[in-house]
Amino acid sequence: PQDKRLVGTQGAELSVKVMSALSVEDVQFSIVDREQSGAGKVNNVAPPRKIPGVLEADHHQKLIMKFSVKDATTKEAILVHQAFVVFTHQATKQEIIFVAEADKARVYTFDADLQKASKDFDYLSGKYQMKLIVGDSVVNNPLDWHVADLELQFPDQGKKADGSAAMSYSKRPEITHKFQVAEKRPPAVVSSTFTVLVLAPLA
């Protein structure tokens, strides 16, 4: 017999989240010219391995990375809450974070035009570490993967703009206010004589 003290024991639907493991696969990273329509030289790599050497790129080029996130057990493509590409400047430790977007086929793509992204990097050229961070609330093995080391070069005019911005916050010379000097007044005798002449008609 049904226990009337319990509510919702029949006809109730419950959503249950099950922890699972993910795998990042089919990773392709390439550096192409901005005007180039092809894929350029493609570097195929898989975690936890890193692309060997230091790759070079400048503001005339784009960085493109594609990858799939799959359930480690079923091998089905899945969507995750977090898919970030993080660049860290080796000298200053400044971090720039981009979001990788998934298409209808659940393939994630990161596409950065370095000319347009120069401002995001504060026009700071130098060596950067590029990482891929993938995670989700129901994933028990989030990924923090060092993908490659890059030597990036940005426009020189950006450096000038950055320098001028720094100057605007530097210490400025002290401002001293100088009040206008009062005009010289006539002698007291002249003022007194004028006063007497004005009041004489009244007397």
Side-chain angles (χ1 to χ4, degrees), residues 37-174:
S37 58
K41 181 183 177 181
V42 177
N43 295 277
N44 295 290
V45 65
R49 293 188 297 109
K50 180 177 77 73
I51 298 175
V54 178
L55 306 179
E56 297 182 357
D58 59 27
H59 60 281
H60 298 295
Q61 297 173 305
K62 296 193 300 182
L63 307 179
I64 301 175
M65 182 165 66
K66 295 183 178 182
F67 60 93
S68 298
V69 181
K70 298 182 179 181
D71 186 295
T73 303
T74 64
K75 294 301 180 180
E76 293 183 1
I78 60 175
L79 298 177
V80 293
H81 291 159
Q82 298 177 333
F84 301 138
V85 179
V86 182
F87 292 85
T88 305
H89 193 276
Q90 296 293 290
T92 65
K93 304 305 179 184
Q94 171 182 308
E95 286 190 347
I96 304 90
I97 302 175
F98 297 91
V99 178
E101 301 286 352
D103 59 17
K104 294 181 179 180
R106 297 189 173 184
V107 175
Y108 283 86
T109 301
F110 160 72
D111 188 336
D113 185 328
L114 293 182
Q115 176 69 36
K116 298 179 180 178
S118 295
K119 186 176 181 181
D120 297 323
F121 285 86
D122 288 337
Y123 302 94
L124 183 61
S125 300
K127 186 178 179 181
Y128 285 82
Q129 178 191 83
M130 185 179 76
K131 295 196 304 182
L132 176 63
I133 297 177
V134 179
D136 195 280
S137 59
V138 294
V139 168
N140 57 18
N141 64 331
L143 179 68
D144 186 349
W145 172 33
H146 181 182
V147 181
D149 290 322
L150 301 171
E151 186 73 31
L152 303 181
Q153 296 294 329
F154 296 103
D156 291 337
Q157 60 265 31
K159 296 178 181 178
K160 295 180 181 179
D162 186 64
S164 62
M167 288 182 60
S168 64
Y169 293 99
S170 60
K171 185 177 181 180
R172 310 297 265 176
E174 182 180 358

